[in-house]
Amino acid sequence: EDACERREDTLKLLSLVGHFLPFLPLEEPHIGEILMRQALPRVEALLPPGRNVSLAVEVDPAVGAALAGKAEYEGRFALEGAKEVPTILSRHLTWRFRKLFQEHNDEALRGKRVRVVPDEASGSVKLMLLPELRGAEPQGEEGSPPEAA
C-alpha cells in the first residue's frame, strides 16, 4: 500500500514502450564538434546586408578543441550540454569578425581568406587575414605576419 503504483500498472506502461534510448551527457570532444559545425554559419550570418564581399573563411580543426574548454564541466560532462555553444562563439569568435568587417571596407576584403586559428597566448582564437594568391606572405590580425605553426 506504500507503493506509488501497482505492479500491473507498471507492466502495462512498459508494454507501450518500443525502445529505450539512453541519454549520454556531452563530453568536451562533443562540444568541440558542435562548435566547429556552428562556427561557419554564425560567421556567414554576420556579414552586413548590402556588403559585397567574397570572403573565404577557413576554421582550423584545432579551434573546436580550444573553444570546447570554455564550457563548464562537472567531471568530464558539460553541465549545460550544447546550450553554451552560442555564447562561446559570441565571446571568442563572432565579435572578431564584426571588428574585421568594421575595420575593412569591401574592396580590402574582396577575394581574401580569413583563417581562424587557436591563440594559445589568450586561450581563445585569432583571425589571420590571408591574401588570395598563393605564395604571398599571410598577414595576421594586426597586419603582422602570423606565428609559425
Side-chain angles (χ1 to χ4, degrees):
E1 302 256 344
D2 290 67
C4 294
E5 57 191 41
R6 296 187 329 221
R7 185 171 192 278
E8 296 83 22
D9 292 336
T10 301
L11 292 175
K12 189 185 297 183
L13 178 65
L14 289 176
S15 70
L16 299 174
V17 176
H19 299 295
F20 286 99
L21 299 175
F23 168 75
L24 300 175
L26 297 175
E27 297 177 355
E28 194 166 337
H30 304 124
I31 299 295
E33 289 176 28
I34 294 167
L35 283 160
M36 288 297 292
R37 287 183 187 165
Q38 291 189 10
L40 283 177
R42 289 283 300 256
V43 169
E44 290 170 356
L46 288 176
L47 190 60
R51 297 274 312 250
N52 184 20
V53 178
S54 57
L55 185 68
V57 179
E58 304 168 3
V59 181
D60 187 291
V63 166
L67 292 181
K70 303 297 180 185
E72 291 184 51
Y73 296 90
E74 184 174 312
R76 62 181 217 217
F77 301 117
L79 284 176
E80 297 291 326
K83 290 180 189 176
E84 288 183 279
V85 167
T87 303
I88 292 169
L89 288 173
S90 291
R91 286 185 183 156
H92 298 279
L93 180 65
T94 56
W95 73 269
R96 287 179 167 81
F97 275 94
R98 283 190 198 97
K99 181 178 173 185
L100 179 77
F101 293 143
Q102 288 173 353
E103 292 177 351
H104 295 82
N105 63 24
D106 293 355
E107 191 61 37
L109 293 175
R110 190 169 294 119
K112 298 282 197 278
R113 294 179 298 142
V114 175
R115 184 155 175 83
V116 182
V117 295
D119 184 11
E120 294 178 19
S122 69
S124 187
V125 297
K126 63 182 176 182
L127 305 183
M128 295 171 35
L129 187 58
L130 305 170
E132 176 182 20
L133 302 174
R134 298 204 188 275
E137 188 173 332
Q139 297 295 307
E141 183 178 6
E142 303 300 323
S144 61
E147 300 172 10

